[in-house]
Amino acid sequence: MNLLTAAICGLLALFLALVGVSRVGAWLIERRYPPVGSFAEVGGTKVHHVHIPAGSTTDLPPVVFIHGASGNLLDQMVPVRPLLEGRAEMLFADRPGHGWSERGSGNGDPVAQANTIAALMDHYGMEKAIIVGHSFGGAVAAAFAVEHPEKTQGLVFLSAATHPWPGGATSWYYKLSSMPVLGRLFVEALAWPGGTLQMGAASACVFAPNRMPESYLADAAIPLVLRASAFRWNATDVAGLYDHVAVYSKRYGEIAAPTIVISGNRDTVVYEEIHSVGLARDIPGADMIWVDNLGHKPDWVAPDLVVAAIEKVSGKPVDLQAAVKKVEARIADDAYGPACPDEKPELSAAG
């Protein structure tokens, strides 16, 4: 009995030590990556965002950017903003529970998050915008277009995650982290140390086969996701995505806005053969743009193509295939992350 008591006390001491170390780590992360924008309370949720007003040389409609899982507004703002500065009013926002935004109440699915973004647009008097969604942000962008067609001038999907995939599986730590009690204990003790050890390699695989910029983690403030609350909300989003898209993807046929779907054929993160192909199939008139040897990060690897797609859906005469060829020429020899797993089904198996 004494041995059992000693073992329990030892485990408890270890857990408390990990919690303490994790909280110090989170405190250091917040000091290193402070908010870069403003806060607005919309629908009862305090949302961190960057709003860039239209300039004197504006030639494009407003553009709203929706980031993916594990990210924040910097993940799109850093690579794309310099190319659009002065040309369009822009709105970058941390999705609820991510970056520096509060989770708020009722923001647990892409529809609710789309509604929060729509309310943030209203805060700035943005009547309509081109909505750009990356990865998980693609599910939010699609929900936005269905729920707010009057606000949707166009859509650009980047490596989107929008349709049910075989088995609906996600990484084990997403399911564990989203559990009511055990998940809380897990993220409080292990999200920071475990994530710190894995973040570099995992992020490189997100870019694979393309090269991840050396300053990416710092420039995009990716470590913000290692704070316990952010890690848990991120996991909750990802763990619940399958159930959402299994139902909601049936409504994509309601979308009438001009749409461009951009995907690489070497994506190791999402099933491009299912999601991107599904969007092009389900949204009337959508254009599918394939990029050879591109992974999951067109926003960083091909920001010029993203801008060209925004121009195209705005109505400008843009040769997207010419833009694709320029990108493909740049990345033709990329072969980074050879050990990154890619177990997605072939196109024929995706239905």
Side-chain angles (χ1 to χ4, degrees):
M1 189 66 177
N2 289 336
L3 288 176
L4 178 60
T5 301
I8 293 173
C9 290
L11 289 173
L12 180 59
L14 176 60
F15 172 76
L16 293 175
L18 287 171
V19 170
V21 168
S22 295
R23 290 190 177 181
V24 171
W27 181 83
L28 291 172
I29 287 171
E30 291 186 341
R31 295 308 176 274
R32 185 175 181 183
Y33 305 107
V36 298
S38 304
F39 291 87
E41 185 166 328
V42 292
T45 301
K46 186 181 291 185
V47 179
H48 175 240
H49 63 282
V50 172
H51 174 250
I52 303 163
S56 59
T57 58
T58 295
D59 67 326
L60 291 170
V63 187
V64 174
F65 295 86
I66 307 176
H67 67 81
S70 302
N72 59 80
L73 65 85
L74 288 169
D75 206 11
Q76 292 172 306
M77 190 174 81
V78 171
V80 178
R81 176 179 176 172
L83 303 182
L84 286 175
E85 193 86 53
R87 297 190 60 192
E89 179 182 8
M90 290 178 275
L91 182 61
F92 301 87
D94 289 339
R95 289 192 290 108
H98 297 256
W100 285 96
S101 287
E102 293 179 347
R103 183 65 166 186
S105 60
N107 281 307
D109 61 67
V111 174
Q113 293 184 20
N115 292 339
T116 296
I117 291 170
L120 185 60
M121 288 176 60
D122 290 339
H123 178 78
Y124 284 103
M126 300 174 70
E127 296 181 359
K128 299 185 73 172
I130 294 171
I131 312 299
V132 181
H134 172 249
S135 195
F136 186 99
V140 180
F144 185 100
V146 171
E147 299 294 330
H148 304 279
E150 76 288 352
K151 292 181 177 294
T152 309
Q153 186 156 344
L155 291 164
V156 176
F157 291 98
L158 309 174
S159 303
T162 52
H163 287 69
W165 59 94
T170 58
S171 297
W172 63 269
Y173 51 85
Y174 288 131
K175 291 291 186 183
L176 176 58
S177 300
S178 62
M179 293 173 67
V181 177
L182 190 58
R184 236 178 220 290
L185 297 176
F186 175 77
V187 299
E188 286 287 349
L190 293 173
W192 180 81
T196 299
L197 291 173
Q198 297 293 324
M199 178 165 284
S203 297
C205 283
V206 172
F207 275 81
N210 313 120
R211 180 180 178 275
M212 181 180 76
E214 291 183 6
S215 62
Y216 169 70
L217 295 179
D219 289 346
I222 299 302
L224 284 171
V225 75
L226 298 183
R227 297 167 301 163
S229 60
F231 196 93
R232 182 168 167 78
W233 293 132
N234 183 62
T236 300
D237 282 350
V238 176
L241 180 60
Y242 181 87
D243 289 342
H244 165 78
V245 298
V247 174
Y248 213 80
S249 59
K250 298 172 184 177
R251 299 190 61 186
Y252 294 163
E254 300 173 25
I255 297 174
T259 300
I260 292 176
V261 182
I262 296 176
S263 181
N265 66 351
R266 296 288 305 282
D267 196 323
T268 64
V269 178
V270 302
Y271 295 78
E272 71 271 26
E273 306 96 327
I274 295 175
H275 304 295
S276 294
V277 169
L279 284 169
R281 176 194 65 229
D282 295 342
I283 299 177
D287 289 333
M288 178 75 233
I289 305 296
W290 286 106
V291 185
D292 189 50
N293 209 41
L294 175 67
H296 190 62
K297 292 296 287 177
D299 42 3
W300 280 77
V301 177
D304 49 339
L305 178 59
V306 175
V307 171
I310 292 170
E311 293 173 334
K312 183 73 172 181
V313 296
S314 77
K316 290 184 177 295
V318 176
D319 187 344
L320 282 181
Q321 289 305 318
V324 168
K325 290 184 183 301
K326 289 181 180 179
V327 173
E328 290 178 336
R330 288 202 309 264
I331 65 176
D333 297 327
D334 284 4
Y336 298 90
C340 296
D342 185 355
E343 301 176 355
K344 304 188 301 297
E346 297 296 328
L347 180 59
S348 58

